[in-house]
Amino acid sequence: SQRGNIKILFPMVAHYEDIIAVKEVIKEIMKDLRSWYGVNFTMPPIGAMIEMPSTVWQIESILEEVDFVSIGTNDLVQYMFAVDRGNGSVSDYFKPMHPVILSALKHIIKNAQKMKKGISVCGEIAGNPLFTPILLGLGLRDLSMPPQAISKVKPVISQLVTKDCRELVKQLLKMNTEHEVHSAVESFMADRDLL
């Protein structure tokens, strides 16, 4: 942190107590570094991966302790539906476009924005152009994706109107099934020649 801009993002945070514990560890390390090198190290920005249902419902408390969050959508979807996405017997339950997931994303994003904390999303949905209007409509602007996905997502972003995406999300949040959501998003994209 003394040589450049760094942030520390902690994965697999299960609850508020995890954040308190890791911050204490960082404080101890900084104390040791001060005594070893005589440098007054400052706490770098600390972030939490929101990828467990438990953190969704403790998001306000967690946000009070961190500078930013990143939503790990692959694990969040898997844990939300108690499904192993790598197991063919139950992989049909891996439903990232389900209204339950959209509601969870909305809850996280709304609280991060209210508390003026940085927020990003990573996982398969960030690099899937079909999810782009959903993520923009929910208010996300920081998407983490593999480099090969950028060429697919960037042209979609450049052709979408944020206001239209927000209206789409309002409709999607009233739906009950992933099939309804998927159909509505496909129709939205087709109307704009983005499919």
Side-chain angles (χ1 to χ4, degrees):
S1 67
Q2 303 309 299
R3 296 180 183 168
N5 295 328
I6 68 157
K7 297 178 182 179
I8 300 175
L9 176 62
F10 291 101
M12 302 307 289
V13 173
H15 41 65
Y16 174 83
E17 293 95 321
D18 283 350
I19 294 297
I20 301 305
V22 296
K23 285 178 78 173
E24 286 304 312
V25 170
I26 291 172
K27 286 176 187 173
E28 284 298 313
I29 291 169
M30 288 170 56
K31 184 178 167 186
D32 289 344
L33 290 171
R34 276 189 210 108
S35 68
W36 296 342
Y37 299 107
V39 175
N40 191 19
F41 290 93
T42 55
M43 177 79 83
I46 302 296
M49 285 289 290
I50 305 301
E51 51 196 336
M52 294 188 192
S54 53
T55 54
V56 173
W57 309 124
Q58 271 202 315
I59 192 66
E60 291 179 70
S61 299
I62 289 169
L63 284 165
E64 288 174 2
E65 296 294 332
V66 298
D67 302 295
F68 65 98
V69 292
S70 182
I71 306 170
T73 56
N74 292 349
D75 286 330
L76 182 61
V77 174
Q78 177 170 300
Y79 298 138
M80 193 71 84
F81 292 119
V83 61
D84 176 0
R85 66 184 184 265
N87 181 336
S89 301
V90 292
S91 59
D92 286 348
Y93 283 94
F94 187 78
K95 297 180 180 288
M97 214 177 260
H98 195 283
V100 167
I101 300 301
L102 302 187
S103 294
L105 294 175
K106 179 185 176 191
H107 180 70
I108 298 163
I109 296 161
K110 184 179 94 177
N111 279 287
Q113 290 172 337
K114 180 176 74 175
M115 296 176 78
K116 295 181 173 36
K117 300 291 176 110
I119 183 161
S120 64
V121 66
C122 64
E124 292 171 19
I125 73 170
N128 182 338
L130 205 55
F131 281 91
T132 303
I134 298 172
L135 298 175
L136 293 178
L138 286 167
L140 280 165
R141 298 297 179 266
D142 191 352
L143 311 177
S144 176
M145 65 189 75
Q148 62 271 22
I150 295 171
S151 62
K152 296 174 187 170
V153 173
K154 188 175 179 181
V156 172
I157 290 174
S158 68
Q159 295 180 58
L160 289 172
V161 177
T162 308
K163 181 183 172 199
D164 294 345
C165 295
R166 281 195 297 265
E167 287 302 315
L168 171 68
V169 167
K170 281 182 190 174
Q171 295 169 22
L172 302 180
L173 289 167
K174 295 174 186 173
M175 296 176 179
N176 293 310
T177 68
E178 185 183 52
H179 176 73
E180 291 173 296
V181 171
H182 199 275
S183 296
V185 173
E186 280 192 336
S187 176
F188 177 89
M189 297 288 274
D191 289 348
R192 290 156 180 78
D193 294 321
L194 293 173
L195 276 183

